[in-house]
Amino acid sequence: MSTLVKIAVLLIINSFIVSAKEQNNYSIKVNIEEVKSNEGKVLIALYDAKQDFLSKSFKSTKGAITDNTCEFTFNNLPPGVYAVSIFHDENNNGKLDSNFLGIPKEDYGCSNGATGFMGRPKWEDAKFELKSDKTVTITL
């Protein structure tokens, strides 16, 4: 009988731990405004580390464009530092097209309105701290 009580107590404690962990997770809602057209998709990437920014996303998705806007929510994220980048894949080929100089031909953007000067946007300009649910708006 005491073994059964111990198992029940462990299960109850475990459910409290899982519940506490879920309560500390948040969401990031990404709103993309003023998309040039409704053609193609918007590729949305979420980064959780400086060394991965613009190269290896933590989470990513493709969003449909309606009325020149797109919206997506990343759920169940632990508190931390994140950045978002997006681009309008107008021709739906899965990549950010650029000209012969490497300048993007498709619209793109990052959280905090980060833009690069003579290069890519920087993590320091795009990052934000997640300690409650957050909405990020990127205007193209």
Side-chain angles (χ1 to χ4, degrees):
M1 186 70 160
S2 69
T3 304
L4 187 57
V5 171
K6 288 178 185 176
I7 291 173
V9 169
L10 286 174
L11 288 174
I12 291 170
I13 291 171
N14 189 39
S15 70
F16 282 123
I17 291 170
V18 168
S19 182
K21 283 183 180 178
E22 287 176 1
Q23 291 175 355
N24 289 332
N25 288 334
Y26 304 109
S27 64
I28 298 172
K29 181 179 178 182
V30 181
N31 291 326
I32 298 107
E33 301 175 338
E34 298 181 27
V35 181
K36 185 168 66 174
S37 74
N38 291 325
E39 300 297 315
K41 301 272 187 204
V42 172
L43 278 67
I44 308 164
L46 179 67
Y47 305 92
D48 65 348
K50 179 179 180 174
Q51 67 271 12
D52 295 333
F53 185 55
L54 300 178
S55 62
K56 181 183 174 194
S57 64
F58 170 61
K59 294 185 180 234
S60 63
T61 190
K62 293 179 183 179
I65 305 163
T66 305
D67 297 326
N68 300 88
T69 62
C70 180
E71 179 182 298
F72 182 79
T73 302
F74 293 101
N75 291 307
N76 204 26
L77 300 169
V81 178
Y82 295 91
V84 175
S85 75
I86 63 102
F87 76 89
H88 179 197
D89 185 16
E90 196 167 7
N91 60 4
N92 230 2
N93 68 352
K95 64 180 185 170
L96 178 61
D97 296 324
S98 58
N99 65 18
F100 70 96
L101 295 173
I103 298 170
K105 295 194 303 189
E106 295 174 309
D107 291 335
Y108 66 94
C110 288
S111 46
N112 298 332
T115 58
F117 178 73
M118 302 298 285
R120 306 167 103 189
K122 296 185 178 10
W123 167 260
E124 289 76 19
D125 298 331
K127 71 179 181 176
F128 57 88
E129 188 170 358
L130 181 66
K131 45 189 175 179
S132 64
D133 291 343
K134 183 163 184 71
T135 299
V136 173
T137 301
I138 299 173
T139 303
L140 297 179

